[in-house]
């Protein structure tokens, strides 16, 4: 029977590797956002520094492993078999949950997930044991370490509010001192700022963060605790002098130094605090097996009270291996990029395409914030308001906006890293598994709020995004608890069969998730919209707009044909998918429209006429999309309302129109894709053929109504499709004539 436990251990080891990969993909946002968002150092340098921090931090995390062993449940109340089931349920749930969030590109908390998974699985086995022993359900508290679990949850919730508040306060003060023109101010205040930031980071991370390692004795820590202010003062004086030397003699930007040290420190804190979330459970299972092995007692009766022993230390080679896997994942994970993009997008300085849609809550908060701001300004002296506003005046760019432009400056990046490192390190030293995701994300949101990145143009979108992320955190806790509880029950009842079945299910789901993510990335690359910041001349406009128009023609052709085919088959699910595809196309056009301001602003002085051309192009593209929207919505509504299918003659006529539309759009797609516009005149001359076909079919339907047609709904749908096709063709031809005219004028 013990062989099954060995197999379970092997499975847990494999699951630990997978969990490390999916977990790091999500948590990389915590320590990479500031360096990547500010572009203070190159991406390669950022990754090297972060990798060093992760590897070293992984070896400092042994003191946190007790959370997985006894922080949530009471081991003495569970048998060895129950403990192994709990650990298996936790790992399977954790991998599934984190992979979903990675695929969605949303940061979540690996700490919250592991805590509620342990809680859910432990509650399941506790209730099961209470039921089979006819015990009272009031004894459930004896199975769960409620005091410790409550303290962990409270500390995590407190960290959300504290992180936002501290981040806002420190950033506001920093901006008042440095302003956005910080280069000159660094000569006077850079050394002090560097002394505070670097001494704080090194003390809390490199001193307090070493509390769990074996090469520093308890006596040494007692001395450190008694002389904390002396150490802080010494660090401050040393690093202030060092910062001044670097600024004055070596002409080094001290903010870059802070960002490098902060990235390393935050990566170290992440590994020291969060490694328990990935390998704490498998290591606890390994410790459990060492306690159980050779006992000669059945796994169902051997109780695991010894697992709560504080002297149990995680094997060093496990920690080292975990660190190596984390570093490899850091360099190779593609899903991490989409998670990082979410954090940078929500905290960036300035306008652009917003990733999230506003909701009523975000609108109310922004409106309330505007009223509060107006109230404060009413009482503040005008001179003080003007002085404060001047400190927040952003730098006016002399050149056009570029995609390589930082999302925020190095002052904010330094504050992000300094505040987040301190808060996380304090939690680590107190053995409270603060969520590094919550802390770093809320610090970044607090600093962006204090930096006035959330202005009237963007606040409603940013707040909606923050709500969505925070809502995902609550979703994490609920789903983690429920799913772990269900999986634990399945493993307890199904035993070996459930064990094998769940592992197979996990493998299939991960494979499908990976495949879908690759397809999603490929589609996003293919449908990537124009980058208006890079367009500055008429020639660039013609080239870029031709490429975009070609893509719109291709999608329009596919959508039109699919709607006609699916309508003829009365296929409701596929018509519903057509509506989703149409909304994606509409969103792309809407993003193009959102960036008209930046496109016009970045055009060369002698190419301003191109802006009018571009606006008219967007107008005709919008007309095309609206026609497709009407076609898809009307067809879906007809089938969804269970009306009669179109008759054979009607379907045949619509297919005839479809073939002509496909031929027309294919010619236009090829012309714009290759920028070969010689066929434009031919296409324009042939447009009347299609319009005449539509007119002829309308007349035929009128005749049917007067003779054989008996369905008013069919007639309504049929006429709507033909008339909207007529409008679609006219919009296409208007765009074509515009493009021909502008292209001809440009050549002259």
């Amino acid at each position: 029977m013990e062989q099954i436990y060995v197999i379970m251990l092997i499975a847990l080891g494999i699951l630990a590797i997978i969990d490390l990969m999916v977990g790091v993909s999500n948590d990389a946002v915590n320590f990479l956002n500031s360096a990547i968002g500010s572009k203070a150092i190159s991406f390669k340098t950022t990754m090297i520094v972060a990798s060093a921090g992760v590897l070293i931090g992984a070896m400092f995390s042994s003191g946190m492993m007790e959370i997985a062993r006894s922080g949530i449940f009471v081991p003495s109340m569970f048998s060895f078999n129950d403990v192994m089931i709990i650990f298996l349920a936790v790992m399977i749930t954790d991998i599934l949950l984190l992979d979903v969030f990675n695929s969605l590109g949303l940061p979540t908390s690996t700490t919250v997930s592991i805590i509620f998974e342990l809680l859910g699985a432990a509650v399941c086995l506790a209730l099961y044991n209470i039921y089979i022993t006819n015990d009272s359900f009031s004894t459930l508290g004896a199975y769960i370490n409620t005091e410790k679990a409550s303290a962990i949850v409270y500390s995590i919730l407190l960290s959300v509010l504290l992180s936002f508040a501290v981040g806002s306060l420190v950033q506001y003060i920093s901006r008042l001192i440095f302003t956005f023109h910080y280069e000159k101010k660094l000569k006077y205040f850079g050394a002090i700022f560097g002394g505070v930031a670097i001494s704080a980071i090194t003390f809390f991370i490199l001193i307090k963060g070493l509390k769990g390692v074996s090469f520093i004795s308890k006596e040494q820590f007692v001395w450190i605790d008694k002389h904390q202010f002396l150490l802080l003062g010494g660090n401050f004086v040393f690093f202030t002098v060092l910062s001044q030397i670097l600024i004055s003699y070596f002409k080094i930007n001290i903010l870059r130094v802070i960002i490098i040290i902060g990235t390393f420190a935050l990566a170290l804190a992440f590994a020291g605090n969060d490694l328990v979330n990935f390998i704490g459970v498998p290591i606890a299972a390994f410790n459990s097996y060492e306690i159980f092995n050779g006992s000669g007692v059945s796994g169902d009766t051997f109780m695991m009270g010894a697992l709560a022993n504080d002297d149990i230390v995680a094997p060093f080679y496990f920690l080292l291996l975990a660190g190596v896997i984390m570093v490899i994942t850091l360099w190779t994970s593609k899903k991490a990029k989409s998670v990082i993009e979410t954090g940078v997008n929500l905290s960036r300085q300035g306008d652009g395409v917003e990733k999230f849609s506003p909701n009523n809550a975000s609108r109310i908060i922004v409106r309330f914030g505007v009223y509060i701001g107006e109230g404060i300004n009413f009482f503040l002296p005008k001179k003080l308001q003007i002085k404060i506003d001047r400190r927040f005046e952003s730098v006016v760019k002399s050149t056009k906006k570029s995609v390589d432009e930082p999302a925020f400056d190095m002052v904010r990046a330094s504050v992000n890293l300094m505040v987040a490192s301190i808060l996380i390190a304090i939690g680590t030293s107190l053995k409270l598994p603060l969520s590094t995701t919550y802390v770093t994300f809320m610090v970044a949101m607090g600093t962006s709020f204090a930096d006035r990145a959330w202005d009237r143009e963007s606040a409603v979108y940013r707040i909606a995004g923050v709500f969505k992320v925070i809502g995902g955190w609550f979703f994490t806790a609920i789903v983690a608890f429920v799913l772990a509880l269900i999986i634990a029950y399945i493993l307890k009842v199904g035993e070996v069969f459930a064990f094998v079945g769940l592992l197979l299910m996990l493998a299939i789901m991960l494979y499908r998730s990976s495949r879908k993510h690759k397809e999603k990335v490929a589609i996003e690359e293919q449908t990537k919209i124009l980058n208006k910041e890079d367009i500055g001349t008429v020639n660039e406009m013609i080239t870029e707009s031709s490429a975009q128009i070609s893509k719109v023609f291709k999608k329009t052709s596919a959508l039109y044909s699919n709607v006609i085919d699916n309508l003829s088959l009365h296929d409701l699910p596929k018509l519903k998918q057509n509506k989703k595809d149409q909304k994606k196309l509409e969103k792309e056009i809407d993003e193009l429209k959102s960036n008209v301001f930046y496109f016009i602003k970045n055009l060369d002085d002698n190419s301003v006429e191109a802006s009018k051309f571009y606006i008219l192009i967007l107008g005709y593209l919008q007309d095309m999309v609206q026609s497709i929207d009407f076609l898809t919505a009307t067809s879906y509504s007809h089938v969804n309302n269970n009306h009669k299918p179109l008759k054979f003659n009607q379907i045949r006529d619509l297919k005839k129109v479809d073939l002509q539309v496909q031929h027309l759009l294919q010619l236009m797609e090829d012309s714009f894709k290759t920028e070969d516009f010689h066929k434009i005149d031919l296409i324009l001359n042939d447009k009347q053929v299609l319009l005449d076909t539509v007119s002829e079919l309308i007349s035929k339907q009128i005749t049917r109504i007067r003779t054989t047609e008996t369905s008013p709904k069919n007639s309504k749908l049929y006429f709507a499709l033909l008339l909207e096709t007529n409008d679609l063709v006219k919009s296409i031809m208007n765009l074509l004539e515009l493009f021909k005219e502008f292209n001809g004028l440009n050549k002259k």
Side-chain angles (χ1 to χ4, degrees):
M1 185 63 184
E2 289 190 12
Q3 286 79 5
I4 187 61
Y5 296 124
V6 175
I7 296 173
M8 291 172 76
L9 272 180
I10 295 172
L12 281 167
I14 296 172
L15 292 175
I17 295 173
I18 298 173
D19 201 31
L20 276 169
M21 292 189 289
V22 297
V24 173
S25 296
N26 196 279
D27 274 1
V29 64
N30 300 334
F31 49 88
L32 293 178
N33 260 15
S34 293
I36 291 175
S38 65
K39 297 187 184 295
I41 53 180
S42 68
F43 180 78
K44 185 177 181 181
T45 303
T46 300
M47 295 297 288
I48 292 172
V49 171
S51 299
V54 167
L55 193 60
I56 296 173
M59 294 182 287
F60 290 169
S61 63
S62 60
M64 293 292 296
M65 294 300 165
E66 69 180 52
I67 298 298
R69 294 198 311 268
S70 58
I72 304 300
F73 62 90
V74 179
S76 60
M77 299 297 292
F78 294 91
S79 67
F80 172 67
N81 186 67
D82 288 344
V83 165
M84 293 298 287
I85 289 175
I86 290 173
F87 292 151
L88 267 174
V90 167
M91 293 303 293
I92 293 172
T93 304
D94 202 51
I95 292 171
L96 287 173
L97 195 58
L98 293 181
D99 187 65
V100 168
F101 274 87
N102 289 342
S103 299
L104 295 174
L106 291 175
T108 190
S109 171
T110 54
T111 304
V112 168
S113 63
I114 204 74
I115 288 172
F116 280 89
E117 285 155 7
L118 283 166
L119 190 61
V123 166
C124 174
L125 270 295
L127 292 174
Y128 184 88
N129 290 335
I130 290 172
Y131 176 77
I132 62 174
T133 57
N134 293 321
D135 202 352
S136 172
F137 286 102
S138 61
T139 61
L140 179 62
Y143 290 82
I144 307 299
N145 192 342
T146 53
E147 183 178 350
K148 184 69 173 180
S150 299
I152 291 170
V153 173
Y154 293 149
S155 66
I156 289 174
L157 294 176
L158 180 63
S159 71
V160 172
L161 300 175
L162 189 64
S163 299
F164 186 87
V166 175
S168 299
L169 178 62
V170 176
Q171 178 60 33
Y172 190 80
I173 295 172
S174 301
R175 188 61 71 193
L176 286 176
I177 296 172
F178 289 104
T179 75
F180 282 97
H181 306 268
Y182 57 84
E183 291 83 359
K184 296 179 181 179
K185 305 293 181 181
L186 285 176
K187 297 179 181 179
Y188 308 103
F189 304 106
I192 297 176
F193 184 77
V196 172
I198 299 174
S199 61
I201 291 171
T202 54
F203 178 78
F204 283 105
I205 300 297
L206 304 180
I207 303 295
K208 298 285 276 184
L210 296 176
K211 197 170 183 179
V213 300
S214 57
F215 54 83
I216 294 182
S217 64
K218 292 182 179 180
E219 291 76 14
Q220 289 173 316
F221 271 115
V222 170
W223 187 89
I224 290 173
D225 287 336
K226 289 183 178 180
H227 300 85
Q228 288 186 18
F229 291 104
L230 176 64
L231 289 171
L232 274 173
N235 279 348
F236 173 71
V237 172
F238 173 76
F239 286 116
T240 300
V241 173
L242 179 62
S243 298
Q244 189 63 57
I245 293 173
L246 293 175
I247 293 170
S248 302
Y249 294 98
F250 295 97
K251 307 301 179 184
I252 293 175
N253 187 334
I254 194 62
L255 297 179
R256 280 197 172 89
V257 177
I258 294 172
I259 290 170
I260 291 173
I261 297 175
T263 300
F264 171 84
L266 202 56
L268 185 146
F270 151 75
N273 186 275
D274 277 16
L275 190 61
V276 63
N277 302 339
F278 312 130
I279 68 168
V281 167
I283 287 178
F286 178 77
N287 296 144
S288 301
Y289 182 77
E290 285 185 320
I291 296 170
F292 166 76
N293 190 30
S295 63
V297 182
S298 169
D300 290 323
T301 57
F302 185 84
M303 307 306 287
M304 294 303 301
L307 191 61
N309 191 339
D310 290 336
D311 295 331
I312 297 177
V313 179
F316 176 79
Y317 52 86
F318 281 175
L319 301 177
L320 180 61
L321 178 61
V324 171
I325 294 172
M326 292 167 79
V327 170
I328 294 173
T329 304
L330 197 61
W331 283 86
T332 58
S333 174
K334 293 182 180 179
K335 289 186 178 181
K337 294 180 181 179
S338 58
V339 181
I340 292 172
E341 182 184 347
T342 298
V344 172
N345 184 278
L346 285 173
S347 60
R348 75 181 188 278
Q349 195 80 26
D351 300 319
V353 177
E354 300 293 344
K355 186 174 181 179
F356 299 93
S357 300
N359 52 46
N360 289 332
S362 65
R363 294 187 186 101
I364 292 171
I365 289 176
V366 171
R367 195 171 293 117
F368 184 67
V370 170
Y371 292 151
I372 291 178
E374 291 174 350
I376 293 174
N377 289 336
F378 180 79
F379 292 101
L380 280 179
K382 288 292 182 183
K383 290 185 178 179
L384 180 59
Q385 290 181 39
I386 293 172
K387 286 184 178 180
I388 293 175
D389 289 340
R390 284 177 179 173
R391 310 301 289 182
F392 285 87
E393 288 180 354
S394 59
V395 179
V396 179
K397 300 290 188 301
S398 57
T399 58
K400 65 180 183 179
K401 191 176 178 181
S402 170
V403 288
D404 293 326
E405 188 176 310
F408 42 82
D409 67 6
M410 288 188 278
V411 173
R412 182 148 39 118
S414 301
V415 173
N416 284 346
L417 292 164
M418 176 177 65
V419 175
S421 296
I422 291 171
L423 293 176
I424 295 170
I426 291 174
T428 303
S429 66
L430 297 175
K431 293 189 177 180
L432 290 174
L434 293 178
S435 168
T436 55
T437 301
Y438 287 13
V439 172
T440 55
F441 181 82
M442 293 309 295
V443 166
M445 295 304 102
T447 57
S448 61
F449 170 74
D451 229 5
R452 300 188 178 180
W454 297 2
D455 59 11
R456 295 285 290 271
E457 299 290 329
S458 61
V460 69
Y461 305 99
R462 306 287 178 86
I463 294 174
V466 172
F467 279 173
K468 185 170 183 179
V469 173
I470 293 177
W473 295 346
F474 286 102
F475 177 81
T476 298
I478 296 170
V479 173
F481 180 88
V482 174
L483 190 57
L485 186 147
I486 293 171
I487 292 178
Y489 180 76
I490 293 172
L491 286 169
K492 182 67 176 179
V493 176
E495 298 180 341
V496 177
F497 299 104
F499 170 60
V500 175
L502 285 170
L503 291 182
L504 287 174
M505 178 203 71
L506 180 63
I508 293 171
M509 293 184 71
L510 288 177
Y511 170 76
R512 293 189 61 180
S513 171
S514 176
R515 189 179 66 181
K516 285 186 177 181
H517 186 264
K518 288 180 181 179
E519 292 174 355
K520 179 183 176 184
V521 171
I523 292 172
E524 288 176 351
E525 288 296 322
Q526 291 175 0
T527 59
K528 196 174 182 181
I529 64 171
L530 290 177
N531 195 349
K532 266 62 57 200
E533 294 84 357
D534 291 340
I535 299 175
T537 66
V538 175
N539 290 332
E540 289 175 347
M541 160 53 57
I542 291 176
T543 298
E544 295 296 334
S545 59
S546 296
Q548 183 62 25
I549 291 169
S550 175
K551 291 178 181 178
V552 174
F553 283 154
K554 182 177 181 179
K555 291 183 179 181
T556 301
S557 176
L559 271 170
Y560 187 91
S561 186
N562 288 337
V563 168
I564 299 301
D565 290 341
N566 297 329
L567 179 62
S568 64
L569 297 172
H570 228 58
D571 194 329
L572 184 62
K574 288 185 178 179
L575 285 170
K576 187 176 182 179
Q577 183 60 46
N578 292 152
K579 286 186 65 179
K580 292 180 180 179
D581 294 338
Q582 189 279 330
K583 290 300 179 185
K584 291 179 183 178
L585 179 58
E586 185 178 1
K587 184 178 180 181
E588 288 183 28
I589 303 300
D590 189 59
E591 288 178 357
L592 289 170
K593 290 162 57 182
S594 298
N595 276 332
V596 166
F597 173 84
Y598 304 104
F599 163 71
I600 296 175
K601 196 175 184 66
N602 292 330
L603 274 175
D604 294 342
D605 292 337
N606 58 351
S607 303
V608 177
E609 186 64 24
S611 60
K612 182 179 179 182
F613 167 71
Y614 184 69
I615 292 170
L616 291 173
I617 282 179
L618 291 181
Y620 290 131
L621 290 178
Q622 180 176 329
D623 290 342
M624 291 171 56
V625 171
Q626 287 176 345
S627 293
I628 293 295
D629 179 44
F630 181 85
L631 290 167
T632 54
T634 303
S635 301
Y636 174 80
S637 177
H638 181 87
V639 177
N640 193 38
N641 290 333
N642 300 304
H643 295 315
K644 294 178 181 179
L646 292 175
K647 294 183 179 179
F648 174 78
N649 289 339
Q650 293 172 319
I651 294 172
R652 182 192 60 194
D653 292 343
L654 287 174
K655 288 298 295 180
K656 179 181 178 181
V657 174
D658 179 32
L659 290 174
Q660 292 184 11
V661 170
Q662 299 308 306
H663 177 69
L664 172 66
L665 290 174
Q666 184 63 54
L667 286 175
M668 299 183 70
E669 180 191 342
D670 293 340
S671 296
F672 281 89
K673 188 175 182 180
T674 60
E675 294 186 55
D676 180 8
F677 304 114
H678 293 94
K679 296 180 181 179
I680 286 183
D681 290 329
L682 178 62
I683 297 171
L684 288 172
N685 292 334
D686 288 345
K687 73 174 182 179
Q688 196 59 43
V689 176
L690 182 52
L691 295 178
D692 289 343
T693 300
V694 172
S695 178
E696 177 188 343
L697 296 180
I698 291 175
S699 298
K700 286 178 66 176
Q701 181 63 19
I702 293 174
T703 303
R704 291 193 195 104
I705 292 175
R706 296 179 64 86
T707 55
T708 60
E709 181 63 65
T710 59
S711 173
K713 298 297 183 184
N714 274 15
S715 296
K716 177 185 175 183
L717 173 65
Y718 187 73
F719 281 136
L721 295 175
L722 290 177
L723 291 173
E724 202 60 43
T725 299
N726 192 70
D727 290 344
L728 174 63
V729 172
K730 287 181 178 179
S731 298
I732 294 172
M733 293 306 167
N734 288 337
L735 187 149
L736 198 59
E737 289 174 349
L738 172 69
F739 207 91
K740 175 190 173 183
E741 178 184 354
F742 187 82
N743 193 35
L745 290 173
N746 183 52
K747 287 181 179 179
K748 293 179 182 179

